[in-house]
Amino acid sequence: MIEAKGITKRYGELVAVDDVSFSVEKGEVVGFLGPNGAGKTTTMRILTGFMPPTDGTAVIAGFDIFEEPVAARRSVGYLPENLPLYPEMSVIPYLDYVAKIHDVPRRRRREGIERALERCGLTEVRTRVIGDLSKGFRQRVGLAQAIVHDPPVLILDEPTVGLDPLQIQDIRSLITELAAPRDGETQHTIILSTHILPEVAAICQRVILINEGRKTVDAPLAELTSQGHSLEELFARETAHDVVAEQRGAAEAGSGGPGAAP
Ligand SMILES: Nc1ncnc2c1ncn2[C@@H]1O[C@H](COP(=O)(O)OP(=O)(O)OP(=O)(O)O)[C@@H](O)[C@H]1O
Ligand SMILES: [Mg+2]
């Protein structure tokens, strides 16, 4: 359902994403992990068609982001890191506006909005002004705008950041429901980034970890946490790796190169 093929993004000298490939199956919820600046947001922006890669491509629901960009973009719902919600707008006109941007025909917009309101638990606040809603509800509006055009793929960049523990639980259950829907509803394939490792344990089936732009882990959660290992240990090990190598490199350089005694 999502296929990333050698995605690379350079900003001048900086390689923000370096030859990242992975695939995500239908209905999977994948946790996208990595320290600050690892390249998660950059990768997500590329997958959603927000920004072109320097190299590589991606296929979303069968559509290549270069060859069929419109169809690829229509197949994905995106909750960006800092969603620009319009605080002065009410919930329904905002969702209608987003549906319009996604080219949902007028006759299907109403239905899409109703479905998004219902699935995101927004029915009671449907007539409210977005700016007056609590942060948790605004986050639900963010999710609703990601699903209003009923895309099969969802890319969620830190969906629970800044929420209180109860709101976090709420959003997590919502994400789980979106991947395992009731009859007749779209089953979403989801990639979400987060810094909360228990979140990954709670809702993801698979973990992809990137560090300094490179993919270093891509495995089922169950496999990673078998034998009593925790995700915290994995994260520490995978992200400390380069620091250790750098320190070793620096020590070797300082002591006369690789051949020198430690
Ligand atoms: N528009 C840009 N111009 C130049 N460099 C950028 C730009 N956007 C991102 N970067 C750099 O690319 C790297 C990856 O950034 P990115 O935002 O993808 O990381 P991230 O994994 O999402 O981090 P975080 O956990 O902090 O959200 C960083 O070094 C960042 O400074
Ligand atoms: Mg980010």
Side-chain angles (χ1 to χ4, degrees), residues 35-42 44 81 157-158 193 195:
N36 291 132
K40 302 179 296 294
T41 296
T42 305
M44 291 176 135
E81 213 166 25
D157 202 351
E158 302 194 36
S193 71
H195 290 292

Side-chain angles (χ1 to χ4, degrees), residues 16-214:
V17 181
D18 191 358
D19 196 19
V20 167
S21 300
F22 56 83
S23 59
V24 183
E25 300 301 320
K26 185 173 182 185
E28 255 189 323
V29 181
V30 172
F32 207 35
L33 305 184
N36 291 132
K40 302 179 296 294
T41 296
T42 305
T43 307
M44 291 176 135
R45 290 170 71 105
I46 291 168
L47 293 176
T48 53
F50 237 74
M51 178 169 82
T54 313
D55 217 334
T57 191
V59 180
I60 307 288
F63 304 109
D64 188 287
I65 57 166
F66 281 116
E67 285 162 20
E68 294 172 280
V70 176
R73 246 192 316 249
R74 245 181 229 160
S75 307
V76 39
Y78 180 32
L79 178 66
E81 213 166 25
N82 301 301
L83 178 67
L85 287 172
Y86 297 85
E88 70 289 354
M89 274 181 110
S90 300
V91 174
I92 290 179
Y94 170 68
L95 293 177
D96 190 54
Y97 162 74
V98 176
K100 244 185 256 174
I101 293 177
H102 286 299
D103 292 329
V104 179
R106 180 188 282 272
R107 67 198 141 75
R108 289 203 15 241
R109 285 212 291 273
R110 178 100 224 147
E111 173 198 323
I113 293 167
E114 284 304 324
R115 190 191 52 247
L117 290 172
E118 202 258 316
R119 291 200 81 175
C120 297
L122 286 166
T123 319
E124 301 144 52
V125 300
R126 56 195 295 145
T127 57
R128 299 270 296 273
V129 173
I130 293 171
D132 294 345
L133 296 175
S134 70
K135 189 155 170 50
F137 271 95
R138 285 204 299 271
Q139 199 69 352
R140 285 164 180 260
V141 174
L143 280 166
Q145 67 78 36
I147 66 168
V148 73
H149 55 304
D150 207 19
V153 170
L154 296 180
I155 309 273
L156 312 175
D157 202 351
E158 302 194 36
T160 61
V161 74
L163 301 184
D164 78 33
L166 287 178
Q167 291 169 335
I168 288 178
Q169 279 307 332
D170 256 19
I171 297 288
R172 284 183 192 165
S173 337
L174 175 56
I175 292 169
T176 304
E177 282 169 29
L178 289 171
R182 290 164 294 196
D183 285 351
E185 292 173 333
T186 298
Q187 178 175 35
H188 299 280
T189 303
I190 302 173
I191 298 184
L192 65 98
S193 71
T194 179
H195 290 292
I196 312 171
L197 299 180
E199 181 150 298
V200 176
I203 60 179
C204 299
Q205 286 100 54
R206 206 149 61 79
V207 173
I208 294 177
L209 192 147
I210 58 171
N211 189 31
E212 297 180 351
R214 279 189 221 110

